[in-house]
Amino acid sequence: MTASGSAGPAAPGRSAPPDGSAASGGGGGLRAPLRRRRFRLLYAGQCLSRTGDFVFQVSLAGYAITTGSPALLAYTLFGQATGTVLMLLVGGALADRFGARRVMLAADLARVVATAGVAAQVAAGGQDIWAIAACGLLLGLGDGAFEPAFTLAFTELLPATELLAANALQAIALRTAGIVGAALGGALVAAAGAGPSLGLGAAGFALALALVLVAGRWPVPGRTASGDGLLREATGGIRYVCAHRWLWVSIGSFGVSVALVVAPAKALLPMASADVLGGGAGTYSLLVGSQAAGALLGGLLVARLRRIPPGLLVFGGMTAVCGGFAALAVSSVLAASVAVAVLVGAVLSAATVAWAATLQSRVPGELMGRVSSVDWLVSLGVSPLALVVVPQLLAYATATTVLLTAAVTALLVSAATVLVPDVRRLAWPPDASD
């Protein structure tokens, strides 16, 4: 990578398959990463883990609704969010120091214990709120440690030319898990109660842990110990981001889009759609489902878009996403709104997949975990703040006006990001066949 991070080569040490298997050539097909045994096992584990996570979320919400115990749900989610943010401060440094596999195993073990603890508390009547909150905190700590390590694992297991396809597969798994996990969780809560359903969620994390164990140790590039403490190492990701304009501009731009549009839309879009479409919960559910279907489509198609430079694909896509939310704020035709929701889901999915692959292919391996932590922190950190501000704004303007204004503002920021030279000149790593 060049000093400016603009048009230099991909990060060193990623041109050959780390697991020693034959290169697949072309690098862009979705099947290429699945030819590698360790990635297959990791991917299968994550399909199970993500599905179990959605089963757990739906089961916990269902229990809170049926028992009239919103405090249980609130305390669990608060503990989880707090733990995630706290661990993200050092989670990337842990992954860079100890390798992705060790950290993922520890994180999944923490999540198994946490989700099993919540299931046990619910089976016992769910009266100990502080124990529930502690389990939520442990779950969040596991989440915060896992995500940077999982991002790093892709770079340890795959050559740079297969990262886009791998992230597309991950996006497909996440969307599919959301659909299957939500349906399965709802059905199990209705048929067997929340306790067994929550237990199934814990089993998803346990199976993911088992598959990482089955994959065995994989070669990790040698990393020279810095001699610094963990907190000092953790700030290395911030220093690296600040030193590379394409990175801090991109992460900041994403933060603006999340803060102004992606996060607030969860609260504003239901009200805005009711105002302009005259529909209720069913109408909003249709829009959410359409967006999820579009996201699945975007994950399937993004690996075919390597001819588009990553800067244009990511932030041109975010410009279109913000424009789509602006259209949803004012559209009074249901069919048009559904079509826009599908487009928003597809483009948002493609943009986020392309961003993950860009980050993985350009940031040096020894810093990938920490830089990923910075990226996650910006996105997760601004979301709660944005949701807190929304009710204050609604005292002065309608949901439609607030969402439209925010979407147009974010659209302008995303469009301006495409024009930044360091972002515009980003390029994909060359295929082995080039």
Side-chain angles (χ1 to χ4, degrees), residues 287-298:
L287 294 179
V288 171
S290 299
Q291 187 175 338
L296 186 59
L297 178 64

Side-chain angles (χ1 to χ4, degrees), residues 210-310:
L211 287 173
V212 175
L213 285 172
V214 170
R217 297 179 181 177
W218 54 75
V220 178
R223 291 165 188 163
T224 304
S226 66
D228 295 331
L230 189 62
L231 289 177
R232 172 69 179 172
E233 283 189 13
T235 61
I238 299 174
R239 294 195 299 273
Y240 184 85
V241 169
C242 292
H244 294 78
R245 184 165 57 181
W246 73 273
L247 255 179
W248 64 258
V249 167
S250 298
I251 291 175
S253 180
F254 259 121
V256 169
S257 295
V258 171
L260 293 182
V261 180
V262 179
K266 295 177 181 179
L268 292 171
L269 190 56
M271 293 181 287
S273 62
D275 288 343
V276 298
L277 289 173
T283 299
Y284 177 65
S285 176
L286 178 60
L287 294 179
V288 171
S290 299
Q291 187 175 338
L296 186 59
L297 178 64
L300 288 168
L301 296 179
V302 65
R304 302 178 180 273
L305 302 177
R306 289 186 84 249
R307 294 185 180 277
I308 302 175

